[in-house]
Amino acid sequence: MKNPKDITAYVLCGGKSVRMQAEKGLVLYKGKTFIRWIIEAIMPITPNIILVTSNGDYSLVGLPMIEDTYADKGPVGGIYTALNHSKTTRNLILSCDIPKITTELLRTVTDESWETEAPVTFLSDGKNDYPLIGVYSKSALKIFADAISADKLKLCSLVNMISHQKISINSDQKSLVQNINSKAELQFLNLLDL
């Protein structure tokens, strides 16, 4: 594996959290905030972790925070902000609502052997794609800038239009990449862990 300084991790904490009715990354799961679970999964891969958020409440985790360059542009805007800020070629981009993500899965998506000319590599279970668990090259910056200019803000559509690589996960790993978007989903997650 290359030097961990060769990759920067950005966690996008910008969503509206309408269905959760609370800041998703700060929701508690098994006694820890979602963001804390995610950070702990990232730490063995890289110490370079930055939160993309304008919510000062995230300062409690003690990591650098940057605000979206363009407000209200969703994940496309968040990824643009991350790539524009980054000093590394490779960037691990994650959403803040995946508390079950593991270091092992993140190692899978950041594995050097996947490196191709494709500017985007992300996880897929064959039916669903997970572009918010992916590695984005700094070279994709212009693609995201152009998408924002054209107001093309659907991330799945955008990554499927550009050169990309999907890393398959198996059925046992599907629960690890699940987005927890609502109180009902959180309740179900807690019930599964009983």
Side-chain angles (χ1 to χ4, degrees):
M1 184 165 171
K2 285 184 188 169
N3 186 323
K5 291 197 170 12
D6 291 342
I7 190 164
T8 307
Y10 288 88
V11 186
L12 309 187
C13 309
K16 298 267 189 252
S17 303
V18 175
R19 285 182 286 165
M20 188 64 84
Q21 298 171 334
E23 182 64 41
K24 277 196 286 191
L26 300 175
V27 167
L28 287 176
Y29 167 60
K30 287 169 49 173
K32 277 192 273 198
T33 57
F34 282 14
I35 195 73
R36 180 65 62 196
W37 287 109
I38 295 164
I39 290 164
E40 288 176 6
I42 298 168
M43 288 297 266
I45 292 165
T46 178
N48 306 326
I49 307 171
I50 295 165
L51 309 184
V52 181
T53 182
S54 56
N55 186 335
D57 293 345
Y58 282 98
S59 61
L60 62 88
V61 296
L63 288 173
M65 301 188 296
I66 57 170
E67 290 191 29
D68 273 312
T69 308
Y70 300 104
D72 301 321
K73 297 296 180 186
V76 170
I79 293 170
Y80 169 83
T81 299
L83 295 179
N84 191 44
H85 176 268
S86 180
K87 305 284 187 285
T88 56
T89 302
R90 300 170 75 238
N91 301 279
L92 176 63
I93 305 281
L94 302 171
S95 58
C96 69
D97 56 4
I98 46 171
K100 295 193 78 172
I101 196 71
T102 63
T103 301
E104 181 191 14
L105 255 187
L106 295 181
R107 282 197 201 286
T108 300
V109 78
T110 57
D111 190 329
E112 306 295 340
S113 67
W114 302 126
E115 283 202 66
T116 64
E117 296 306 306
V120 183
T121 299
F122 54 87
L123 296 181
S124 177
D125 62 20
K127 187 173 151 204
N128 301 298
D129 292 337
Y130 301 93
L132 287 178
I133 307 174
V135 174
Y136 289 71
S137 169
K138 181 103 171 157
S139 67
L141 181 62
K142 185 177 184 324
I143 294 165
F144 281 83
D146 291 347
I148 290 168
S149 296
D151 217 34
K152 291 187 169 25
L153 302 177
K154 291 201 178 333
L155 180 58
C156 280
S157 302
L158 179 59
V159 295
N160 279 305
M161 280 177 8
I162 62 179
S163 178
H164 63 272
Q165 179 172 238
K166 295 182 187 182
I167 308 300
S168 297
I169 58 171
N170 60 43
S171 54
D172 295 340
Q173 296 170 312
K174 278 180 75 167
S175 67
L176 304 178
V177 298
Q178 186 191 353
N179 301 92
I180 308 302
N181 288 311
S182 66
K183 289 186 171 178
E185 287 173 3
L186 180 62
Q187 201 171 6
F188 184 65
L189 186 66
N190 285 319
L191 283 173
L192 287 178
D193 290 324
L194 289 177

